[in-house]
Each structure stands twice: as C-alpha cells, then as structure tokens.
Amino acid sequence: MENGHFGGRHDRRPAEHADRRLVEQDRERAMAEMYAECGLLRELADAAGVRLDDTVDSLTALDQLLPRWRDDPQVSQWLGTDAGLYLGTVIRRRIPGSTWRLAPDGRPLMVLATGFELDVTALGAGWAEQGAPQLAAVYRAAGDG
C-alpha cells in the first residue's frame, strides 16, 4: 500500500479524466465560437434585414430569402458552409446536449444528445444550392430527437 492507496495510481485517474474532460470542453467551446462567426451569411442577412439571433425564427427567415446568390457558384459554396455552421450554432445553443465534433476528415459535425450526427455543412450546401433541406425543418427534426 502506497500513500494509503493500492499502487498509488488510483489518485491520478480521476484527476486525469477530469483534466481531459475540461480540455475537451474548452476545445468544443472554441469550435463553437469560431463556427458562430458565419461572416458571409451575416452580411447577406444584414443586407436582407434578417436578424441572426440564434433562433428558429432566424432560420425560417433565411429559408424565405430569394436565392440570388445561386448565380455565383463560389458565393453559393461559401454561403452554404456558413449556413450549415449557423444551423449548427442554433442547434448547439437551443437543443440541450448538442455539441460540435470534428469528423476524421475535418468536417464539423453537430452531435445531438441522442448521439445522432448531422453533417451541417452538407445540409447548408444543399440549402444554398437547391433550397433544400430548409434550415428550420432540420432544426425542428433535430429537436424532436
């Protein structure tokens, strides 16, 4: 018996686990802040008078915009990424237990409390390029679990 504990290692495991959990929480928080920026989408929304306030109403307002950006494929691609990141941001802030995670290829995924993963940038790309799926509908489905 070492220091009153068997093998002396018992004391370090909970601390190591707690440290790892804090590092993971800090990493996820930093990802969330970065993904919430969505510069191009915010420019478009401001120009259209849409307030991005992290609510389902803002997603609905985005769904109702006339898709003038589709004339420029490069803008459409960047806007789709931003739209997906904004969708993920709204989900993370409004649906308990939702977190960001990076896929092995580096794509940001939104992981719901159920463990279901949403490839939000792919969903945003579909929205920007074809209008489907609607961002508010994805949010509602995510909230239904």
Side-chain angles (χ1 to χ4, degrees):
M1 216 158 114
E2 194 176 297
N3 295 335
H5 297 284
F6 294 99
R9 295 178 77 184
H10 182 72
D11 287 341
R12 287 189 295 258
R13 285 185 187 168
E16 288 172 4
H17 183 67
D19 288 346
R20 204 172 321 123
R21 192 173 54 240
L22 285 174
V23 166
E24 185 61 32
Q25 288 173 346
D26 286 346
R27 188 171 145 255
E28 199 275 340
R29 196 173 300 117
M31 287 169 53
E33 288 174 17
M34 181 179 71
Y35 295 154
E37 291 176 12
C38 312
L40 183 59
L41 182 69
R42 290 188 186 280
E43 276 183 41
L44 172 81
D46 284 346
V50 173
R51 185 168 165 246
L52 298 185
D53 58 0
D54 301 337
T55 63
V56 69
D57 289 342
S58 66
L59 295 172
T60 299
L62 289 171
D63 288 336
Q64 294 172 355
L65 292 177
L66 291 175
R68 293 187 176 103
W69 61 84
R70 290 189 191 140
D71 295 336
D72 185 340
Q74 189 173 15
V75 170
S76 189
Q77 178 184 5
W78 282 105
L79 186 62
T81 298
D82 275 9
L85 294 176
Y86 181 69
L87 170 63
T89 297
V90 175
I91 290 170
R92 181 183 179 274
R93 291 183 178 166
R94 300 288 178 173
I95 299 176
S98 302
T99 59
W100 287 108
R101 183 178 79 73
L102 289 177
D105 65 1
R107 284 176 301 116
L109 302 173
M110 178 50 50
V111 183
L112 304 177
T114 61
F116 187 78
E117 298 178 348
L118 295 172
D119 184 344
V120 290
T121 54
L123 292 165
W127 172 83
E129 294 167 11
Q130 301 153 1
Q134 289 190 334
L135 301 174
V138 173
Y139 172 85
R140 286 186 186 98
D144 289 343

